[in-house]
Amino acid sequence: MSEQAVSGHGDQGFGARLRSTLTATGHLCVGIDPHPHLLRDWELDDSAAGVREFGLRVVDAAAQAAGIVKPQVAFFERFGADGFRALEEVIRAAREAGLLVIADAKRGDVGSTVEAYGRAWLEPGSPLEADALTVSAFQGTGSLSAVRELASANGKGLFVLAATSNPESFPLQRASTADGTTVSRIIATEVAEWNRGASFGSFGVVIGATVDLDVSGLSRDALVGMPILAPGFGHQGADIRDIRAIYGDAADSVLVSMSRSILKVGPTRLSETIRNQSAEVAECLE
């Protein structure tokens, strides 16, 4: 595959490429989360070499049955420079296989610092170049302007944390302004504005499948056409069969993120499990 194909995926923006991927290969996003206990179960060393092998095996299996992978950066980062080298190989292998890669790094800051994060993960030719990046707007969505501009210029995407499923997030994310607008709704509304004029946006939000959207102040109709990265299915308790009940018409742009519930089967049954899970997600979206 050409260097241009690996780095740029042509001239299409992330939203267009994501929509094509959802249509062609489905809505399943396979997490690459080499937890220590999974490494042990897969008979791999708890080391940079182990997470590299784990990641490459997941890429190989996903390439046969899905279209999107999401490496959890923390599990590679814990091994320092060697871990990052392993992650570079995993990301490159995934993109060479034609998979869309969402780097789950949850970066966030202001000014030149957040721009530097963007250059690390979204700039063509960077060793860590991915197709999209998860980011945090704790300092306000405006703090992400530099990384947003970089993503737009390079045909990349962002997923902004809006309503995460961990209970510790509820007091902050469900806090409201004087007019009753929740923090989650503010973030989702402002990210939707970034997509103005696009039939399918390149900028999305993270909304956990175990979140009560009504309690979080989120309008399902306002989310239509915006990519939604949805952890919480499988291991965390949300049921795929409830996807339309959870997200309404916005379910058509949901990326169903699953990791431990798939990875726990081990390497020998991984492709089969991903294929079956992808088919189940497609059936539930019909």
Side-chain angles (χ1 to χ4, degrees):
M1 183 173 290
S2 70
E3 183 65 29
Q4 181 182 8
V6 173
S7 294
H9 284 279
D11 295 327
Q12 283 189 313
F14 176 73
R17 289 186 283 118
L18 176 59
R19 179 164 58 180
S20 295
T21 298
L22 296 179
T23 300
T25 57
H27 290 242
L28 182 64
C29 173
V30 180
I32 304 179
D33 295 24
H35 292 266
H37 70 88
L38 287 175
L39 292 171
R40 186 167 55 250
D41 292 345
W42 285 34
E43 298 183 347
L44 295 172
D45 291 338
D46 188 14
S47 66
V51 297
R52 173 188 176 277
E53 180 65 21
F54 184 99
L56 292 175
R57 289 186 185 182
V58 177
V59 165
D60 187 52
Q64 302 172 47
I68 311 166
V69 292
K70 182 175 68 64
Q72 172 47 259
V73 171
F75 290 113
F76 295 85
E77 188 173 318
R78 68 194 183 99
F79 295 108
D82 288 343
F84 273 111
R85 278 190 287 271
L87 180 57
E88 289 169 12
E89 289 191 50
V90 171
I91 290 175
R92 184 170 183 84
R95 302 189 75 235
E96 287 179 340
L99 295 164
L100 286 181
V101 178
I102 302 170
D104 196 357
K106 299 181 178 69
R107 300 301 195 233
D109 213 309
V110 296
S112 59
T113 306
V114 78
E115 181 182 7
Y117 283 135
R119 292 193 181 281
W121 297 99
L122 303 176
E123 191 165 70
S126 167
L128 290 165
E129 182 190 357
D131 297 290
L133 174 69
T134 59
V135 291
S136 171
F138 184 75
Q139 291 158 286
T141 54
S143 69
L144 300 172
S145 59
V147 72
R148 186 186 91 183
E149 291 169 7
L150 191 68
S152 293
N154 293 319
K156 305 295 190 179
L158 297 175
F159 288 91
V160 186
L161 302 180
T164 58
S165 55
N166 58 304
E168 301 90 345
S169 72
F170 297 162
L172 176 61
Q173 294 174 3
R174 294 177 178 176
S176 59
T177 59
D179 66 359
T181 306
T182 64
V183 170
S184 291
R185 183 168 186 141
I186 290 170
I187 292 172
T189 300
E190 293 182 358
V191 173
E193 281 295 308
W194 297 355
N195 293 319
R196 180 182 290 274
S199 59
F200 194 94
S202 291
F203 302 112
V205 286
V206 178
I207 300 177
T210 56
V211 168
D212 186 320
L213 271 66
D214 297 318
V215 174
S216 295
L218 292 167
S219 164
R220 292 166 177 81
D221 290 343
L223 296 171
V224 172
M226 180 163 60
I228 300 170
L229 182 60
F233 290 105
H235 181 82
Q236 294 182 48
D239 194 320
I240 292 293
R241 291 171 294 185
D242 296 328
I243 188 169
R244 289 215 176 271
I246 296 169
Y247 296 102
D249 289 340
D252 292 323
S253 59
V254 165
L255 285 66
V256 175
S257 178
M258 303 183 75
S259 54
R260 280 173 287 183
S261 57
I262 290 175
L263 302 173
K264 69 181 182 182
V265 304
T268 58
R269 293 177 49 216
L270 195 57
S271 292
E272 174 191 0
T273 301
I274 293 172
R275 186 175 294 107
N276 291 342
Q277 191 64 74
S278 184
E280 182 180 355
V281 171
E283 182 180 342
C284 293
L285 284 168
E286 288 180 352

